Amino acid sequence: MLAAIGVGSVQELFDRQVPAPVRLGRPLDLPPGMAEQDVYEHLRELAARNVSAEEQLSFLGAGMYDHYVPSLIDMLMERSEFLTPYTPYQPEISQGGLQVMFEYQTAICELTGLPVANASVYEGASAVASAAYLAKLHNGRRRIVVSAGLHPHSLQTLRTYAHGFGAEVVEVPLKDGRTDLDAWVAAIDDDTSAAIFAQPNVYGAVEDARALSAGAKDAAEPVVIAQVDPITLGILAAPGECGVDVAVGEGQALGNRLDYGGPSFGFFAAREQYLRRMPGRIAGETRDIDGRRGFVLTLQTREQHIRREKATSNICTAQALNALGGVVYLAWLGRQGLVELGELLLARTHYARETLSTLEGAQPLHSQAVIREFALRLDGDVPAIRRRCIAQGVNPGVDLQALTGREQDRGGLLVALTERRTRADVDRLVDVLGAALAAERHTEAVAV
Amino acid sequence: MLAAIGVGSVQELFDRQVPAPVRLGRPLDLPPGMAEQDVYEHLRELAARNVSAEEQLSFLGAGMYDHYVPSLIDMLMERSEFLTPYTPYQPEISQGGLQVMFEYQTAICELTGLPVANASVYEGASAVASAAYLAKLHNGRRRIVVSAGLHPHSLQTLRTYAHGFGAEVVEVPLKDGRTDLDAWVAAIDDDTSAAIFAQPNVYGAVEDARALSAGAKDAAEPVVIAQVDPITLGILAAPGECGVDVAVGEGQALGNRLDYGGPSFGFFAAREQYLRRMPGRIAGETRDIDGRRGFVLTLQTREQHIRREKATSNICTAQALNALGGVVYLAWLGRQGLVELGELLLARTHYARETLSTLEGAQPLHSQAVIREFALRLDGDVPAIRRRCIAQGVNPGVDLQALTGREQDRGGLLVALTERRTRADVDRLVDVLGAALAAERHTEAVAV
Amino acid sequence: MSAPLSESVVDEQRSSLADDPVLTVFEKGAPGRRAFQCPALDVPAADPEELLPRELRRAEAPRLPELSEPEIVRHYVRLSKRNFDLDSGFYPLGSCTMKHNPRLHERVAALGGHARLHPLQDPEQAQGALELMWNLQGALGEIAGLPHVCLQPSAGSHGELAGVLLTRAYHEDRGEQRHKVLAPDTSHGTNPATVTMAGLDVVKLATNPAGGVDLDDLRAKADADVACLMLTNPNTLGVFDPNIEEIARIVHDVGATLYYDGANLNAVMGLSRPGDMGFDIVHFNLHKSFTQPHGGGGPGSGPIAVSERIAPYLPVPTIVRGEEGAFDLEYGRGRVGSKSIGRLRSFQGNYGCFVRAYAYICSLGADGLKDASETAVLNANYLLAALRERGVLEQLPLAYGDLCMHEFVLSGGPMKRELQIKTLDLAKRLLDFGYHPPTVYFPLLVEEALMVEPTETETKETLDGFADALAAILREAAENPEIARTAPHTTPVRRLDEVAAAKRPVIRQALTVG
Amino acid sequence: MSAPLSESVVDEQRSSLADDPVLTVFEKGAPGRRAFQCPALDVPAADPEELLPRELRRAEAPRLPELSEPEIVRHYVRLSKRNFDLDSGFYPLGSCTMKHNPRLHERVAALGGHARLHPLQDPEQAQGALELMWNLQGALGEIAGLPHVCLQPSAGSHGELAGVLLTRAYHEDRGEQRHKVLAPDTSHGTNPATVTMAGLDVVKLATNPAGGVDLDDLRAKADADVACLMLTNPNTLGVFDPNIEEIARIVHDVGATLYYDGANLNAVMGLSRPGDMGFDIVHFNLHKSFTQPHGGGGPGSGPIAVSERIAPYLPVPTIVRGEEGAFDLEYGRGRVGSKSIGRLRSFQGNYGCFVRAYAYICSLGADGLKDASETAVLNANYLLAALRERGVLEQLPLAYGDLCMHEFVLSGGPMKRELQIKTLDLAKRLLDFGYHPPTVYFPLLVEEALMVEPTETETKETLDGFADALAAILREAAENPEIARTAPHTTPVRRLDEVAAAKRPVIRQALTVG
Ligand SMILES: Cc1ncc(COP(=O)(O)O)c(C=O)c1O
Ligand SMILES: Cc1ncc(COP(=O)(O)O)c(C=O)c1O
C-alpha cells in the first residue's frame, strides 16, 4: 500500500503533513491493549460494583424509571441494520430507518395530541431548553416563566441555555404541590417568551394543565411548553387538548434501559405553526420516481448543515436508535396497553401513598392526584433513613432535598413505581421504611 | 373466521374431529400464564440459584469447557435469518444457511485432516455411537473395541446404541494413562467392526493415535474411530494424518456456550469411502440455471426422509445454529489463532500440572503429555476436598471416580483449563487445593 | 415518473448487486489476518518437545480462514441476508410448526446462571437448573398425560430412538423378543429409520379412505411379534384418527406398546392427551410445539414421557428430589437391578432448549397452551376455507376429509394434469411472492402433496394473503405455466442443479470427492 | 440454462417482491390486538374519580398501533432490511468515521450492572460506573492533551454548545463581553449554528490555497471582540493545517480561546494532541472516533476536555475522588463561588456510550489507538492513490494538496462538465454497486464535493473494489450518462421527491400539515 501511495512509511505520511512541534513524541500514557475476554472481565467487574435494579428493590425515579424493556426491543436495536448506519442521508437505502422515524413521529403526535413532532432530541432536560429556544426564535421576548414543579435538571439546563441565547428565567412557586395559578398568571408579562410547566411535576402531582395554559395565554400569549411523562399519556389529558403549544419530554420510560442516565431520547411535539422552527431531523412521506411510497428527511432548511448560523438549532446526531426503542415499545403496549398500564400505575401508586402514609412519621407532601410517583414528608433525617432502608436491600426513593437543592424540600422522599413493583414490593417498602423511621426516632431520642 | 369455515365455534372443530372419550375435559393442571416481565423474573431467579463460571473460579471440564465465546457469535446466532428458519429445504431462499454449512464442513475437514464431513450431529457422545453404526453398516461385523480412555458418556451412549443395532462393546484398559497398545491389538479380531479411542482421552492424556490406528488396521481392518477435542487440533496431529477413518467429537469448545450441557453440536468427518454412509445433512456446491454458484443439501438418498427404513441414520433436526457458532469461532480464531491458543493451553496446563504436583498429597495420575486437561491423584477423600475448595469459591475440577464410576479412579481429580484461566487463577487453585489437602489430612488425623 | 431508460438497461442495473460473486469465508481475507488476540503467555516458557513430543504434533496448521473481525462480521451478516426467515415472512412448512419465537426466551437462556453453567457443576450448585428441569418434566408429563419424563433426547428422532429402545427393553425384560414395529405409510421418515437403527423391523400399515389407520390391515398385522405401533395423531395428513381407542385396544391386546410421535402435538395441547388415548411413550419436539427456534436445522430437543410400565427403563441420569426439596441427579449406576437403557448422549440434554420451552409454558400457562392449539386448528381450517372460497381446492383438492386439525394436505395431482405445473413449480413460484412454501411431496401416499401448517401465531390477514397468492399462481399458470415452471425469478439464486451436486459432490472448499 | 422466458416477463417477476406495498405499523394489525400482557391488579380497586378526577383524564386513548407480537417483530425486521448498514458494506461517509462497531461493546453495555443502574443511585452503590467514567475522563484527557474532562454533552453539537458557553463564561468572568466567534468556511454546520444558539456572532474565515486557514484573513479579523476560534484539525478537507502553531499564537494574542472540533480526531490519536497544538477546549465524538454505533442517527456522546483556565467553568456534576479512593458526584451547588456554566442535560450523560468507548480504549490501548489513526491515514491515502492510478482523479480531482489525513475531498466539477453527471448522480449510482456513497456537497467551498473517509477497519480489497466502482461509473457515464442520472436502479425505492415532501409535509400518518 505504501508503494502505491509513493511513500516509504506511514511515518512519512505524518512527517509530510503534521508539523513536528505538534507531534506527540511519546506513546500515550494509557495501559496496553487487552484481549476481548480481558476487556469483558474488566467491564463485568466494574458492573458488579454497581447495585442495579437487578439486585435491589428500588423505588428510584425522578425522571428515569425501571420499566420492563420487552426483549423484542433488544433484538431490534441490536440488528446491524438499525444499529450501525448513520443518519439516513441516502433515502433510497435507508427506508427502514426513515419509516421508523415517521412512525415514531406519528406515535409522539398521538401521545401528545399535537400535530407535529420531530424524530428525537438528546433527552428530556435539554428538550425543555430547546423548546424555550424555539419560543425565543418565535417571539423574540426575553423572559421565561417556569413552574417550580419542573424537574430541577430541566430547570438547570434551561438556565444554562437561556444564559446563552439571552433570556431571563423566572420561577413560579407551588401551592400544595401544584403550580400556584395566581402567581403563574401574575408572572407572565408581555416580554414573556415561554411559560413552562411539568406534567406530572417533579413532586409527582398532576397539574391542572388546562388552567395553566389558559391562564398563560390570557395573560400574554407566551409559548406554553409542557414537559410530560409519556407513560402517563394513556390516561392523562393530552397536552394538545389542554392548550399546550409545545410538549417535550424524556423518552426513557418508553422501552429504553436506565443505563445510568443515558442514552435515551427526548421527544418534541408542537402545534403546526412551530413546524418550521423545530429542531432536529424530521422524516416526511413522499413518492419515488416510479410512484412508490417512500420517506425522506424533510424541512432540512431548518437545519445546521443547510442554514448554518441561521439554523433553528445546532443539533445533528440525535437519538434515532433510542427513538426506535420508543416506537417499538408503544407498538408493543398497543393502544389499550398504554391505558391499562396507566391504570395499573395509578392504582398501585395510590395504594403505596395511602399505605406509606399510615406509617408514623410519614405523610404525603401534598394532596394532589398522583400517577406513578409521589412525595412523602418524613420526620427525621432522610439520608439516614434512606441508608437504613438500603441496608435492608430496599432503595426507598429519591431524597427530594438532595435532588432539588431546595431547603423547603428537606424531609421529602420521592417514591416512584413501575409495573415491575408489585403490591408485595410496596408492602416490603412499608415494612422497611416503617422500621427505619422507628429506628431513627429511637436514635434521635437517645441523642436528645 | 368461523363463518368462513362454516362452524359455530372452535369447540365444534374439535367435536367433529376428536372423539369425546379422548378429550381432556378439564384444564391442564399447570399454573396460569404470566406476563413477560414475570416470566423473566422467575427465570432470572432460577438462574441466580445456579453457580456458573461467571461466579466461581472453575476448573471443570471433561467434555465441555468454559472458553470465551466472542461476542460477534452471539450477534450472528441471534440474527433472525439464522435463528428462525428451519432446515434449508428451499435452497433458493436459504443460500445463507447452506453456505454456512459448506464452510463449516470445510473447516471440520481442515481440522480433522479428513476429506468429508457432514453439517453436524447432535453432540459428541452420540456422534461416537453414530460412527459405530456407520461401521456396522459398512462391514456388518458385531464387535466394537473401545479404549477405556473414551469419555464415559460416550462409552455409555455407545452401549445404549449398540444394544439396539446389535453389537457387543469390548473395553480395552489403559496403561499409565494411555490405551494399552498390546491389549488393544489383541482385542481386535475379524468380527471387530470398529475400534474407538479418544484423543486426548478422558484422563487428559495424548494418545499415540498413529500406533493405535496402525495396530488396529494390522489386526483386522476395523473402522478406526477417534473422538477428538477440536480445540487441540491446531497443535495435535490431525486424525486423518494418523490413519483414523472417522473422527467425531463435541463441538462446544468452538464458540458455543456451556448451557449446562447443550445445545452444542457434534462433528463428524470421515474418509471418502464412507461418504455415502454418513448420517445427517450435507451441503454441496452447485450452480443455478443461470450459472450462478450456489449450495444445496446433497446426497439426500442417505437420509430418512427419502430412504426411510433403509436410511443410514434416523437424524433429522441436527444442530445447524450451533455449527454456525463453530465455524464463526474458527474464523474468529483464524489459522494462526488456533495454533496460538493450543500452545497457550499446553503451556498453562503444563504449568498447572507441575505446580499442583508439588503439593503434598497430590501427584499426576499419569506421565503422558497433556494439552488442556490433566488428572491428579489426591491423597484423601476427593468429595470432601472438593467441598473445601468450593467453599473458597474455587471449583477444582471433576471427581474422576464420580465421572467414570471406576473404582480405580478413586482419588482422581480432573483439572481443565481454558484461555480464561490465567496463571494467577492456577496459583489460586494451588493455594486453595493445598489448604484443602492439609485440612483433610488434619481431619483424618484427628479422626484416627 | 421514471426517466426514459430502456427496460433492458434497467434490468442490467438491477442485477448488478446480485452478481456480487459468491465467495466463501475461505476465499476472503489475507494471510496473517485474524480477529482473535491470544492472551499473553503468563507461565514460564518450557521446552516444546517436553510439552508435546514432535511425533504427536501437527505438521501444518489447519487452513482456517484468515480475516479481520470486521470482515467476518460482514461476511456472515451478508450471508444471513441470503436466508428467508420466520421473522420476515409466513412459513407454513407442514409438520414443522413454524410458530413465532419469542425473544424473551433468548434473553432468559442467555442469563449467565443458565448459559455459563457447567454441566458437571455439583447439583447443590445447580439447583435452579434442576428445578427448572423438574418443573418442565412435570409440565410435559401433564400435557402428555404420561407421568414419567426424560428430557435427555436431542431431537424428535433421538426421542424416537429412545422410545423404540425402551420398548425393546420392556419386552426383553419380560423375556420376549418382539421384532416388528408397525408404522402407517403416512409416518415420518424418522419413524422407520429409527426402527432399523434400534435393530427392529418396520411393518407398514395402510391408510383408510378417511386418512386414518386401516383397521383391517392393523388387525391382520398385529401379532405376537409386534413390539410397538408408532403413530402420529393427528397424523401427517392433519387427520385425528377417529378410531384411536380401537387402535390402542388392538395393539395392547397383542401385548405391544404404543408410541406417539409428538411432532403434531401443537394440535391438541390441553385438549387431548396421548396418555389418555392409550399411548405408552411420547416424544415432544420442543423446537416445534414449544417454540425453541429452529436455527436453520437445529438445535432441537426431544424429551419423552412414558407410562408406568415403561418408566423403569428410562435413560439415566434422572432428576430426583430429596427430602428437603433439594434436587439431585441419579445415575442409576450401582443401583442394584437398574433396568435403564442407559445414556443417549452426554450430560443432561439440551438445557438451553429446556429454558426456552419452560419460559414458553410459563408464559402461556394452562389456558394459553389450549388457546394456542385451538387457534392453530382454527387457523388451519380458516386457511382451508379461504382456499376453498378462492377455488384453489379445485385444482389442489384436500387429500382427506373436509376439516383438518392444525395442518392439512392438498394434492397437486389435478393441478399437474390441468395446468401442467407440478407442486414443485407451485412451491418455487411462491418464493417470488415472498412466502416460504409448505412441505412438498410428503406424505408420500398423496400425489404431489402440499402440506400446509399455518400455526397459531399468524393473523387472518397473512392467511388471506397466502390464499390470494396461491390463487394468483394458479390463475397465472392457466395463462402461462412457464412462469411457475421456471420460478423462482426474484431470489438470490434460481433453481439449482441438485443432480450434479449429488453426482459429483463438492462438499468442501476446493475439493472434489466421490 | 435458464428456460426461454422473455426478458420482460422475468422482469415483471423480479419486481413482485418489491411491489409489496409499504405500510406503516399504524396501517397493520386489527383493533384489540396487542403484545403486552398487563400484570394483574394486585391492590384494592379504588374509585377512578378519586384516583384521577375526570377533568384531568384523557377522553380517548391515543391511537397507538394494535398488533400481535409476531406482527411487530415481522414489521420491524422487514423494515430493517430496507436499510443499508455498516455490517453489510463499505460506508465511506466523510466526517462520520464509520468504523467497525465491535459487538463486545454491546455485550458489556448490556450487563445488568450497567444497563439497569438508575442514574440517581447513591454514589456508594455506583462505584463501578463512577470509576469507569473517571478512567474514561483520564483517557480522553490524555488523548486530547487537556486534563479536565466533562463527559456530559450528548453529541458533538452539544459539546460545541458547552464549549462556546465555557468560552463566554471565561470572558465574562474576566469582565469581557466578546461577541465574535471565528470559524473557517470549511467548518461543519454545527459550528456556526452553535455560536448563534450561544448568543454570539459568527465571523467566517477564508481558506488558503493549501486548504488551511488564510492567515491574513485571520490576522485581519482577530480583534479584541473575538471570543474564540473554532477549528477542525485536520479540517473537513482532510488537511492538517501546517500553520496551526501560528494560528494559535494569533488567537491567543488577542485573548481569545481556541476550540477544537474533535470530529476528525480519528486522524491523530496518539500522534498529535489538540492541547499541544494550543487548543483550550475540545469535544470528542464517541460515536465517531470511539466507535459508539451510529444507530441510524444517534445516540452519540460529545465529552469535552479543557485547559486549566477553562476548567473552573465546566458543567456540573463532576466526578470527584475521595481520600480513600471512593468516587462521588459533586454538584457544585452551594459551593461558594462556583463558576460552573451549570447543567447541559439531566443526570450524568450518555453512560451507555461511555461504557462502549471505554471498552474500545481498553481493547486498543495506547499502541492500538495510534495504530488506528495511522491505518486510517494510510487507508485514505491508499484509496486516493488507487483512484489516481485508475485515472479517476482526472474527472474527480483532489480539492486540495496531494496527500491527505484520514479523509479527502474530491471535486466533481470536471466530471459534471465533461461527463454531464453530477456528484449526486455518482453517489446514487454507487448505491447500485452496493456502496454507501461518501458525504456529498460538503464542505461547501468545494464544487460538487465528494468527501471520502474509509477508516482504519477496512481492508485493501474493499478499497480496491470501491476504486474500481468509481472508475466503472465514470467509464459508464462516458458512454451513457443517463444510467447514473437515473440511478439508483436496484434499491427498494428509487429517487424520492424531496421537493414535494418539503412543500407539503406529511410528517405523520394520514395527516397533512403545513
Ligand atoms: C411427523 C414428524 N415426526 C418426527 C420428526 C422428527 O423430528 P426431529 O426433526 O426433531 O428429529 C418430524 C420432524 O420433521 C416430523 O415432522
Ligand atoms: C466536522 C464535524 N463537526 C461536528 C459534527 C457534529 O457532531 P454531532 O453529530 O455529534 O453533533 C460533525 C458530525 O457530523 C462533524 O462532522
Side-chain angles (χ1 to χ4, degrees), chain A residues 86 316-317, chain D residues 95 155-157 160 188 190 236 261 263 283 285 287-288:
Chain A
Y86 207 0
C316 175
T317 297
Chain D
S95 207
S157 59
E160 293 175 35
H188 190 262
T190 49
T236 60
D261 177 337
H283 85 248
N285 300 67
H287 45 302
K288 296 180 178 179

Side-chain angles (χ1 to χ4, degrees), chain C residues 269-293:
Chain C
M269 296 184 298
L271 293 156
S272 180
R273 309 193 307 170
D276 300 340
M277 300 177 206
F279 286 90
D280 294 284
I281 310 170
V282 169
H283 86 249
F284 304 84
N285 300 68
L286 298 189
H287 45 303
K288 295 182 179 178
S289 332
F290 299 93
T291 198
Q292 159 68 36

Side-chain angles (χ1 to χ4, degrees), chain C residues 2-3 7 11 13-14 16 33 74 78 81 85-89 429 432 458 461 486 490 494, chain D residues 2-3 7 11 13-14 16 33 74 78 81 85-89 429 432 458 461 486 490 494:
Chain C
S2 170
E7 269 304 314
D11 192 53
Q13 308 328 312
R14 283 222 180 108
S16 64
R33 281 198 203 139
R74 215 173 260 175
R78 291 174 80 149
K81 298 189 182 195
D85 68 289
L86 180 57
D87 281 351
S88 303
R429 186 64 181 129
D432 288 329
E458 297 295 336
E461 301 90 273
T486 54
T490 59
R494 296 180 58 209
Chain D
S2 173
E7 271 302 313
D11 192 52
Q13 309 326 313
R14 283 221 180 111
S16 66
R33 280 197 203 139
R74 214 172 263 173
R78 291 173 79 150
K81 299 190 181 192
D85 68 287
L86 180 58
D87 281 352
S88 303
R429 187 63 181 129
D432 289 329
E458 298 295 336
E461 301 89 273
T486 55
T490 59
R494 296 179 60 209

Side-chain angles (χ1 to χ4, degrees), chain C residues 100-338:
Chain C
H100 176 65
N101 304 135
R103 290 297 169 143
L104 168 63
H105 305 175
E106 302 312 306
R107 175 182 282 181
V108 292
L111 291 167
H114 298 304
R116 231 180 130 190
L117 181 62
H118 193 282
L120 295 176
Q121 179 60 297
D122 301 57
E124 308 91 78
Q125 300 201 303
Q127 287 294 305
L130 292 171
E131 178 170 334
L132 187 152
M133 290 168 70
W134 179 268
N135 291 350
L136 178 61
Q137 287 183 5
L140 294 177
E142 166 67 5
I143 292 165
L146 290 166
H148 304 283
V149 176
C150 168
L151 300 173
Q152 197 178 124
S154 306
S157 58
H158 210 205
E160 293 174 36
L161 182 64
V164 179
L165 292 174
L166 285 169
T167 279
R168 265 189 75 161
Y170 165 75
H171 293 300
E172 285 169 2
D173 194 31
R174 297 156 52 99
E176 298 189 10
Q177 294 294 339
R178 294 171 175 243
H179 68 96
K180 293 187 199 162
V181 174
L182 307 181
D185 49 7
T186 54
S187 72
H188 191 262
T190 50
N191 295 184
T194 298
V195 172
T196 305
M197 271 188 85
L200 303 183
D201 304 317
V202 183
V203 177
K204 216 195 275 186
L205 289 183
T207 294
N208 68 24
V213 171
D214 182 321
L215 290 184
D216 293 336
D217 197 38
L218 173 61
R219 286 195 192 93
K221 289 170 179 165
D223 60 28
D225 284 338
V226 171
C228 178
L229 166 66
M230 294 183 90
L231 210 63
T232 317
N233 193 28
N235 67 14
T236 61
L237 297 165
V239 171
F240 192 100
D241 203 309
N243 302 318
I244 185 64
E245 292 161 284
E246 177 61 13
I247 292 169
R249 207 169 299 126
I250 297 169
V251 173
H252 284 156
D253 281 354
V254 296
T257 66
L258 258 97
Y259 183 93
Y260 184 91
D261 176 338
N264 289 349
L265 197 72
N266 209 47
V268 294
M269 296 184 298
L271 293 156
S272 180
R273 309 193 307 170
D276 300 340
M277 300 177 206
F279 286 90
D280 294 284
I281 310 170
V282 169
H283 86 249
F284 304 84
N285 300 68
L286 298 189
H287 45 303
K288 295 182 179 178
S289 332
F290 299 93
T291 198
Q292 159 68 36
H294 280 95
S301 178
I304 50 174
V306 303
S307 61
E308 216 60 58
R309 60 176 177 159
I310 304 295
Y313 313 99
L314 280 175
V316 285
T318 52
I319 304 169
V320 293
R321 185 167 204 171
E323 304 270 296
E324 285 97 46
F327 298 96
D328 201 357
L329 287 170
E330 164 64 54
Y331 290 89
R333 183 197 302 143
R335 181 151 49 90
V336 188
S338 166

Side-chain angles (χ1 to χ4, degrees), chain A residues 35 37-38, chain B residues 341 344 348 419, chain C residues 36-41:
Chain A
Q37 63 174 46
D38 298 327
Chain B
L341 177 58
L344 180 76
R348 282 191 183 160
E419 71 292 341
Chain C
F36 171 66
Q37 292 291 341
C38 194
L41 188 70

Side-chain angles (χ1 to χ4, degrees), chain A residues 86 89 122 281 314-318, chain D residues 94-96 154-158 160 187-191 232 236 261-264 283-285 287-288 300-302 442:
Chain A
Y86 207 0
Y89 296 122
Y122 310 133
R281 313 291 183 191
N314 70 337
I315 194 168
C316 175
T317 297
Chain D
S95 207
C96 298
S154 307
S157 59
H158 210 205
E160 293 175 35
S187 72
H188 190 262
T190 49
N191 294 185
T232 316
T236 60
D261 177 337
N264 289 349
H283 85 248
F284 304 83
N285 300 67
H287 45 302
K288 296 180 178 179
S301 179
F442 180 78

